[in-house]
């Protein structure tokens, strides 16, 4: 039995790691579309096509529930896939809502009208495609009023992480934080709106300063998945756990092992 976790590459491992800690008895089948990463510089149509094909693959391998552990795919493909209809017994969920519920101090599924919340100035760091979709602002507007969001498209960070060039990734994060601060000098909270960015969480926090509350998705998504599986225990699927990539398995395995600090072995899709 396995739950599918999808990302364009290695970023979704930050969600997988948290989900495995929260749900040690659940198996996960992780799918990294490394051959096509990064998604964040692609157009919405292309991201939709790639995401749909990977999610179908996971469904076909027996995963009834697939988590898009990728904000870029969630922004460009989730709503469209859900509106077009998913096969009976299958589900696909994204990663935006748990994060926005935490930011706006809401319980799971609280659909009451938008209201004022404590945080007023929010910095959003995400891929160019996620920023231009404005999906984050849309979801926030359903839940909160009076929140000023300044978005910074963090070009290059995902490529550097996928290549294992952490020195470049760090330099890029610092320069994106500087650029954000020129537009919003004193954010109260920062959203790491790409699942790759928690791998650089310390750099974000240092560059932003200790007074900025940094939100990332791993634990929030894991908690919300635990809640979902408690309400839908039959959605654990029939597949078996493991790691799949459309890229070069040895290369991807080395990077993943380095990030999670435990042996991870990817196989080709
Ligand atoms: N980890 C992804 C996200 O959360 C994807 C980034 C990319 O492929 O550009 O947006």
């Amino acid at each position: 039995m396995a739950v599918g976790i999808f990302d364009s590459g290695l970023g979704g491992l930050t969600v997988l790691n948290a989900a495995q800690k929260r749900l040690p008895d659940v198996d996960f089948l992780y799918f990294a579309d490394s051959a096509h990463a990064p998604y964040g510089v692609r157009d919405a149509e292309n991201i939709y096509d790639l995401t749909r094909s990977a999610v179908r693959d996971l469904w076909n391998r027996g995963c009834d529930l697939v988590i898009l552990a990728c904000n870029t795919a969630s922004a460009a493909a989730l709503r469209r896939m859900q509106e077009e209809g998913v096969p009976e017994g299958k589900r696909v969920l994204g990663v935006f809502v748990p994060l926005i519920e935490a930011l706006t101090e809401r319980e799971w599924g609280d659909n009451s009208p938008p209201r004022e919340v404590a945080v007023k100035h929010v910095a959003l760091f995400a891929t160019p495609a996620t920023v231009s979709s404005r999906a984050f602002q849309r979801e926030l507007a359903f839940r909160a009023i009076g929140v000023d969001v300044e978005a910074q498209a963090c070009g290059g960070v995902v490529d550097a992480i996928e290549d294992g060039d952490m020195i470049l990734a760090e330099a890029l994060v610092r320069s994106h934080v500087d650029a954000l601060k020129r537009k919003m000098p004193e954010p109260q909270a920062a959203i790491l709106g790409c699942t790759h960015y928690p791998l650089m969480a310390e750099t974000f926090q240092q560059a932003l300063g200790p007074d900025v509350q940094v939100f990332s998705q791993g634990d929030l998504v894991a908690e919300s998945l635990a809640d979902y599986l408690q309400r839908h225990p039959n959605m654990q699927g029939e597949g078996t756990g493991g790691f799949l990539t459309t890229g070069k398995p040895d290369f991807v395995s080395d990077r993943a092992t380095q990030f999670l600090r435990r042996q991870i072995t990817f196989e080709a899709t």
Side-chain angles (χ1 to χ4, degrees), residues 4-265:
I5 301 219
F6 166 73
D7 183 41
S8 60
L10 298 166
L13 292 175
T14 59
V15 172
L16 173 88
N17 205 29
Q20 283 182 322
K21 282 190 186 138
R22 178 65 182 80
L23 296 160
D25 297 330
V26 174
D27 280 333
F28 294 94
L29 181 56
Y30 186 88
F31 186 123
D33 190 11
S34 320
H36 303 107
Y39 276 18
V41 291
R42 296 174 179 274
D43 65 38
E45 194 64 29
N46 191 205
I47 297 167
Y48 168 76
D49 287 341
L50 291 169
T51 304
R52 188 180 52 170
S53 133
V55 170
R56 282 182 177 168
D57 189 333
L58 283 166
W59 282 336
N60 290 338
R61 290 173 194 265
C63 298
D64 290 342
L65 172 63
V66 175
I67 308 293
L68 298 184
C70 175
N71 292 269
T72 310
S74 301
L78 181 62
R79 184 184 284 215
R80 195 166 153 194
M81 286 185 71
Q82 288 172 335
E83 279 171 3
E84 280 172 1
V86 300
E88 204 183 325
K90 305 289 185 188
R91 285 296 299 270
V92 56
L93 300 173
V95 283
F96 275 176
V97 171
L99 181 79
I100 292 172
E101 285 178 340
L103 183 75
T104 57
E105 308 145 34
R106 283 186 180 237
E107 295 294 321
W108 186 90
D110 171 357
N111 288 326
S112 59
R115 54 180 181 254
E116 282 205 37
V117 292
V119 64
K120 302 283 181 221
H121 303 287
V122 176
L124 168 66
F125 296 96
T127 66
T130 300
V131 169
S132 65
S133 75
R134 299 186 63 79
F136 177 86
Q137 287 89 332
R138 193 174 51 236
E139 291 294 339
L140 184 64
F142 290 138
R143 296 169 178 82
I145 46 178
V147 183
D148 180 19
V149 178
E150 193 63 65
Q152 177 65 30
C154 297
V157 176
V158 169
D159 314 53
I161 293 173
E162 289 289 319
D163 289 346
D165 189 343
M166 304 314 275
I167 293 175
L168 175 60
E170 203 176 309
L172 287 169
V173 166
R174 289 188 190 282
S175 113
H176 287 304
V177 171
D178 278 353
L180 183 284
K181 279 184 161 176
R182 285 196 288 277
K183 299 179 278 184
M184 179 183 270
E186 290 187 358
Q188 293 166 288
I191 302 291
L192 303 189
C194 167
T195 53
H196 282 72
Y197 300 169
L199 295 166
M200 309 301 298
E202 265 178 46
T203 310
F204 273 104
Q205 186 74 69
Q206 270 174 15
L208 285 159
D211 296 338
V212 179
Q213 189 182 3
V214 176
F215 286 81
S216 52
Q217 288 160 320
D219 290 340
L220 298 170
V221 173
E223 199 50 51
S224 137
L225 175 61
D227 188 65
Y228 182 87
L229 288 177
Q230 203 173 9
R231 285 177 293 111
H232 303 93
N234 57 334
M235 289 304 287
Q236 284 188 37
E238 286 166 4
T240 48
F243 294 86
L244 300 168
T245 179
T246 56
K248 296 187 186 117
D250 289 351
F251 183 82
V252 179
S253 300
D254 285 352
R255 295 279 86 77
T257 300
Q258 180 193 341
F259 289 140
L260 293 194
R261 299 196 181 111
R262 60 188 158 94
Q263 182 62 46
I264 304 288
T265 306

